[in-house]
Amino acid sequence: DVKVTQSSRYLVKRTGEKVFLECVQDMDHENMFWYRQDPGLGLRLIYFSYDVKMKEKGDIPEGYSVSREKKERFSLILESASTNQTSMYLCASSSLRTTRDTQYFGPGTRLTVL
Amino acid sequence: SQKIEQNSEALNIQEGKTATLTCNYTNYSPAYLQWYRQDPGRGPVFLLLIRENEKEKRKERLKVTFDTTLKQSLFHITASQPADSATYLCALILSGNTPLVFGKGTRLSVIA
């Protein structure tokens, strides 16, 4: 079974703090994604990566950055957290080769910025 | 402009009935279409994939249709149960290695 894990289920941070959200997958997938999900807005793609050290902007990259130093790990960084970044953050992985782009999601991190 | 719409934000249905959820898209040419289930506070889980040249796909009590002329997919749950209550998301797989395009989801409540 594919497993995607995220470092925290719940996180509370203060405005201006630097926040790291970690995601690890164990199926050797090339592709990894970060989304945020808010009521009424659905899943919105923040950043994605198709290979180690590669990154692509999604639909809403402003205020975020990412890092992919190893194939299995994709980190989302909030350089200076703001209250409008309070959200559910979901990481996913996929493989064009083996899963026809089916995405496997982690359990999510509910981030609250005070 | 490109759009993907799930026409109901919420759908209530009585236990035992068939639930039908709709996914419409505009100005996309998907190679595949997927449906996911999401329970509250959890990540989406893949349910079914249907190719553009397939009209229908079934898995147990689930059935998906894909009409590329109407640009629509229908997702059916037959003999619905309270345990089927969840949010269901459709997603388009476009050609090439581009990210999936997700609909906003329909929250289904099956009432006993």
Side-chain angles (χ1 to χ4, degrees):
Chain A
D1 263 359
V2 177
K3 197 162 181 190
V4 180
T5 56
Q6 295 184 228
S7 48
S8 307
R9 289 285 278 130
Y10 300 94
L11 207 53
V12 179
K13 295 291 181 181
R14 297 210 173 270
T15 303
E17 280 193 81
K18 191 167 186 175
V19 182
F20 293 87
L21 302 182
E22 303 283 339
C23 175
V24 178
Q25 50 94 5
D26 67 357
M27 279 301 290
D28 200 36
H29 285 172
E30 314 87 71
N31 308 329
M32 295 190 76
F33 306 84
W34 274 107
Y35 297 88
R36 64 178 282 178
Q37 188 173 36
D38 301 285
L41 297 178
L43 283 169
R44 291 184 290 168
L45 183 63
I46 304 171
Y47 268 97
F48 59 102
S49 169
Y50 286 149
D51 202 350
V52 176
K53 297 198 188 291
M54 289 183 66
K55 62 184 178 184
E56 301 276 352
K57 292 180 180 179
D59 300 318
I60 51 162
E62 296 80 19
Y64 304 94
S65 61
V66 290
S67 171
R68 190 155 181 214
E69 296 296 318
K70 293 186 177 181
K71 190 174 186 179
E72 67 270 19
R73 187 179 297 268
F74 193 33
S75 303
L76 180 69
I77 302 150
L78 287 66
E79 295 288 342
S80 177
S82 63
T83 54
N84 63 11
Q85 292 179 309
T86 292
S87 186
M88 169 72 102
Y89 289 87
L90 289 159
C91 173
S93 72
S94 73
S95 171
L96 188 59
R97 292 179 292 110
T98 61
T99 74
R100 282 202 198 97
D101 269 345
T102 295
Q103 293 201 0
Y104 294 85
F105 285 83
T109 295
R110 185 162 297 281
L111 172 68
T112 302
V113 182
L114 301 175
Chain B
S1 64
Q2 294 175 316
K3 282 193 298 186
I4 176 171
E5 291 178 315
Q6 294 186 245
N7 65 346
S8 298
E9 195 170 318
L11 182 66
N12 295 330
I13 193 162
Q14 206 153 17
E15 183 176 9
K17 302 287 187 188
T18 296
T20 299
L21 284 64
T22 305
C23 177
N24 294 294
Y25 58 92
T26 308
N27 292 328
Y28 284 113
S29 297
Y32 305 89
L33 189 144
Q34 296 181 330
W35 284 87
Y36 290 77
R37 170 185 171 137
Q38 186 175 21
D39 291 292
R42 297 185 175 273
V45 174
F46 169 74
L47 294 175
L48 280 167
L49 175 148
I50 187 165
R51 296 179 180 81
E52 60 176 337
N53 60 355
E54 292 178 317
K55 292 268 188 268
E56 183 179 296
K57 199 85 170 273
R58 289 176 187 259
K59 180 181 175 183
E60 297 170 355
R61 294 184 295 111
L62 308 181
K63 184 177 89 171
V64 172
T65 63
F66 191 12
D67 188 327
T68 54
T69 303
L70 290 179
K71 296 189 184 296
Q72 180 182 80
S73 175
L74 299 179
F75 176 80
H76 306 271
I77 306 175
T78 57
S80 58
Q81 305 165 359
D84 295 326
S85 298
T87 296
Y88 292 87
L89 305 167
C90 66
L92 305 179
I93 300 178
L94 307 175
S95 57
N97 201 16
T98 53
L100 300 188
V101 179
F102 281 92
K104 291 182 181 178
T106 295
R107 189 174 65 252
L108 174 68
S109 297
V110 180
I111 302 156

